[in-house]
């Protein structure tokens, strides 16, 4: 009796598996070359998971009598895993295009922040925006990310800084998780900044006594899915002690620790994250040598954000040193009003040029390692039997075109597929 399947991708010039042996991440020498098949086909089952990958003729024989809801001829094209964006701030109101001009004229991130701009400006507008308005703009941003090849996106709250607005943002993320086809990982980032009129200690006390208990209740009754807890550990924001208290509170209720550290000043955030068993730490432009060693030993992922260093003219994170020391390096777009980039292909290109990563390192960092940073690499981040059928098909003879071409990825990407269903077609 013939079996029925959701999708057959046939005769691809290249299928980039990224991993072929069930690895949860790639680090060190394993990054030199990724697993790639030439002249291959791939089958996704009706459950949305990958059933088979192999040489086109072998797949044709194995599935000869079976039916498929959709077949795509991939002759002359490359098939890659859906991209994973490990760090974004996509729910907000309050454009900051005017601040870009200030930065170009020499104002620093902290200059703007202290003058009431930056996060504070967005917080004001986000507090006043309705849930419906926030959802509309958020959905539009996710669609832009999806057209650029992202199939799993980490999304932070953090422009509320009071319980009501933080919950409003998390409800918007929850609604998108239920209604849209994209995979989302939700992060509570109530400690993104110290709210006006409070000290960092007062803000920390409020988060621990009010925000986290309410969040725990909403998670337990299934109203909100929250995966991660984040804190902006930075000079003049949350110091090591307040950061530790908040992260420990989140860990106690089952959230993965995934926070901003060592961005503008060396804070020993990497050492703290390694000690607390953090899943990931983002930014790390100012990380210490000891912090790098500690993260490698603790298998704590480094989420590097080449757009931020580029737009704020900061020194680039030391990706080469991290890679050489065996740190699990991931990438994110840091999409937010301060770094307006939807595109992981552009992020990978910047990572190669400005952070001196190789193309295989950058692709692994935007797939399997980004999935690991979100605690989802058992189901996402590579094309292997048993994993979710999230795929990008590009119109090019070699997969490297996705990184080599700077911008113009909309011309290159023919299909974006989640769970074997086409969610974008050029």
């Amino acid at each position: 009796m013939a079996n029925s399947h959701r999708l057959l991708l046939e005769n691809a010039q290249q299928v980039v598996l990224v991993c072929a042996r069930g690895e949860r991440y790639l680090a060190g020498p394993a990054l030199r070359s990724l697993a790639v098949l030439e002249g291959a086909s791939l089958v996704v089952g009706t459950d949305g998971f990958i059933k088979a990958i192999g040489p086109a003729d072998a797949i044709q024989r194995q599935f000869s009598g079976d039916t498929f809801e959709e077949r795509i001829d991939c002759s002359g094209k490359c098939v890659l895993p859906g991209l994973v964006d490990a760090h974004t701030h996509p729910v907000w109101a309050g454009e900051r295009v005017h601040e870009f001009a200030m930065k170009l004229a020499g104002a620093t991130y902290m200059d703007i922040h202290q003058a009431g701009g930056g996060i504070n400006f967005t917080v004001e507008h986000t507090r006043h925006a309705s849930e419906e308005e926030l959802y509309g703009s958020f959905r539009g941003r996710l669609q832009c990310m999806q057209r650029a090849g992202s199939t799993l996106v980490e999304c932070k709250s953090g422009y509320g800084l009071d319980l009501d607005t933080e919950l409003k943002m998390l409800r918007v993320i929850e609604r998108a998780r239920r209604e849209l086809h994209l995979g989302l990982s939700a992060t509570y980032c109530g400690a993104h900044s110290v709210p006006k009129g409070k000290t960092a200690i007062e803000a920390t006390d409020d988060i621990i006594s009010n925000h986290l208990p309410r969040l725990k209740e909403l998670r337990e009754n299934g109203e909100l899915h929250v995966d991660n807890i984040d804190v902006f550990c930075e000079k003049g924001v949350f110091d090591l002690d307040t950061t530790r208290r908040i992260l420990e509170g989140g860990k106690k209720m089952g959230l993965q620790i995934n926070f901003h550290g060592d961005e503008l000043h060396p804070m020993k955030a990497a050492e703290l994250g390694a000690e607390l068993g953090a899943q990931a730490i983002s930014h790390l432009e100012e990380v210490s040598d000891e912090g790098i060693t500690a993260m490698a030993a603790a298998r704590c992922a480094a989420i590097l954000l080449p757009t931020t260093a580029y737009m704020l003219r900061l020194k680039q994170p030391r990706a080469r040193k991290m890679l050489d020391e065996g740190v699990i390096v991931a990438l994110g777009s840091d999409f937010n009003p301060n770094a307006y980039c939807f595109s992981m292909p552009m992020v990978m290109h910047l990572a190669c040029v400005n952070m001196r990563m190789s193309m295989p390192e950058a692709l692994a960092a935007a797939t399997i390692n980004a999935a690991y940073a979100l605690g989802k690499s058992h189901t996402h981040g590579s094309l292997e039997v048993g994993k979710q059928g999230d795929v990008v098909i590009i119109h090019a003879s070699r997969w490297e075109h996705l990184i080599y071409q700077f911008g113009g990825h909309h011309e290159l990407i023919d299909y974006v597929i989640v769970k074997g269903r086409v969610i974008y077609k050029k």
Side-chain angles (χ1 to χ4, degrees):
M1 184 182 147
N3 292 314
S4 169
H5 309 280
R6 187 168 287 170
L7 177 69
L8 171 63
L9 302 179
E10 43 192 347
N11 303 314
Q13 176 123 356
Q14 290 186 320
V15 175
V16 185
L17 309 175
V18 176
C19 299
R21 294 192 301 275
E23 300 94 330
R24 288 286 178 261
Y25 57 82
L26 295 177
L31 285 163
R32 292 210 183 107
S33 61
L34 304 179
V36 179
L37 298 178
E38 309 275 338
S41 295
L42 179 149
V43 174
V44 181
T46 48
D47 60 358
F49 289 84
I50 297 171
K51 298 301 168 203
I53 308 173
D57 48 357
I59 296 283
Q60 199 175 349
R61 282 195 302 276
Q62 188 186 339
F63 293 88
S64 61
D66 293 4
T67 59
F68 295 90
E69 290 172 31
E70 183 153 19
R71 308 167 78 113
I72 299 175
D73 177 12
C74 296
S75 306
K77 298 182 183 186
C78 295
V79 173
L80 298 97
L83 302 176
V84 180
D85 190 341
H87 182 123
T88 80
H89 301 260
V91 183
W92 46 268
E95 289 269 339
R96 300 201 326 241
V97 65
H98 60 286
E99 289 182 9
F100 188 49
M102 293 159 71
K103 285 186 211 108
L104 296 180
T108 68
Y109 177 88
M110 278 321 228
D111 290 341
I112 292 170
H113 186 76
Q114 278 149 4
I119 292 173
N120 301 319
F121 178 86
T122 305
V123 166
E124 279 306 300
H125 287 78
T126 305
R127 284 180 178 176
H128 290 124
S130 72
E131 209 160 309
E132 203 55 47
E133 282 171 77
L134 288 174
Y135 182 74
S137 57
F138 174 48
R139 190 182 59 209
R141 290 165 192 154
L142 288 177
Q143 283 163 346
C144 294
M145 291 175 183
Q146 159 183 311
R147 289 197 294 271
S150 291
T151 55
L152 172 60
V153 178
E154 184 268 359
C155 303
K156 300 177 192 295
S157 72
Y159 292 118
L161 311 183
D162 59 33
L163 182 56
D164 288 349
T165 317
E166 289 295 314
L167 291 178
K168 176 170 71 173
M169 294 180 75
L170 290 169
R171 282 194 302 272
V172 165
I173 296 168
E174 179 66 22
R175 179 174 163 193
R177 203 184 62 76
R178 294 180 190 194
E179 292 182 11
L180 307 179
H181 296 297
L182 219 55
L184 299 183
S185 175
T187 301
Y188 163 74
C189 186
H192 194 196
S193 184
V194 178
K196 280 184 192 162
K198 277 200 168 92
T199 65
I201 290 175
E202 288 166 344
T204 302
D205 291 341
D206 182 36
I207 286 168
I208 289 167
S209 2
N210 300 315
H211 292 214
L212 294 181
R214 181 76 180 117
L215 212 52
K216 184 167 187 264
E217 189 185 314
L218 292 168
R219 278 180 91 221
E220 283 169 358
N221 68 24
E223 280 180 62
L224 284 182
H225 284 73
V226 182
D227 304 284
N228 318 290
I229 184 155
D230 190 352
V231 173
F232 188 18
C233 179
E234 184 53 71
K235 191 172 162 185
V237 192
F238 292 93
D239 65 9
L240 272 189
D241 186 49
T242 48
T243 298
R244 174 193 292 275
R245 288 178 56 206
I246 295 167
L247 294 177
E248 282 177 340
K251 187 177 182 177
K252 212 172 278 167
M253 54 180 268
L255 298 175
Q256 296 178 125
I257 295 177
N258 185 335
F259 71 113
H260 290 61
D262 294 327
E263 178 186 357
L264 305 171
H265 299 91
M267 297 285 293
K268 295 203 177 330
E271 292 89 328
L272 174 69
E275 180 204 328
L276 294 178
Q279 187 73 25
I281 306 171
S282 290
H283 282 293
L284 302 164
E285 287 86 352
E286 297 287 345
V287 69
S288 69
D289 291 354
E290 296 74 21
I292 291 176
T293 306
M295 286 179 72
R299 293 277 164 255
C300 169
I303 302 173
L304 304 184
L305 307 168
T307 50
T308 317
Y310 165 73
M311 291 189 213
L312 294 180
R313 296 171 173 157
L314 305 175
K315 69 177 189 200
Q316 295 285 333
R318 293 185 289 158
R320 280 267 49 96
K321 169 128 175 110
M322 293 181 205
L323 288 160
D324 295 344
E325 295 242 355
V327 174
I328 301 163
V329 172
L331 289 170
S333 68
D334 197 15
F335 173 82
N336 75 79
N338 177 56
Y340 207 103
C341 176
F342 294 117
S343 163
M344 287 305 290
M346 289 183 83
V347 168
M348 290 190 287
H349 179 102
L350 287 170
C352 291
V353 175
N354 290 342
M355 302 195 316
R356 306 195 185 295
M357 290 173 72
S358 70
M359 288 190 283
E361 286 168 346
L363 185 65
T367 53
I368 192 69
N369 288 358
Y372 173 83
L374 303 177
K376 290 185 183 286
S377 62
H378 55 297
T379 47
H380 293 72
S382 64
L383 298 178
E384 296 177 87
V385 171
K387 281 198 162 180
Q388 197 166 296
D390 293 2
V391 179
V392 176
I393 302 173
I394 65 168
H395 190 81
S397 57
R398 293 172 58 111
W399 70 263
E400 289 93 343
H401 275 275
L402 192 59
I403 298 177
Y404 159 63
Q405 297 189 19
F406 187 50
H409 44 264
H410 299 126
E411 300 309 310
L412 197 56
I413 294 174
D414 277 352
Y415 294 89
V416 180
I417 293 163
V418 170
K419 293 185 182 169
R421 288 215 165 89
V422 174
I423 61 167
Y424 166 73
K425 182 182 177 184
K426 188 169 87 183

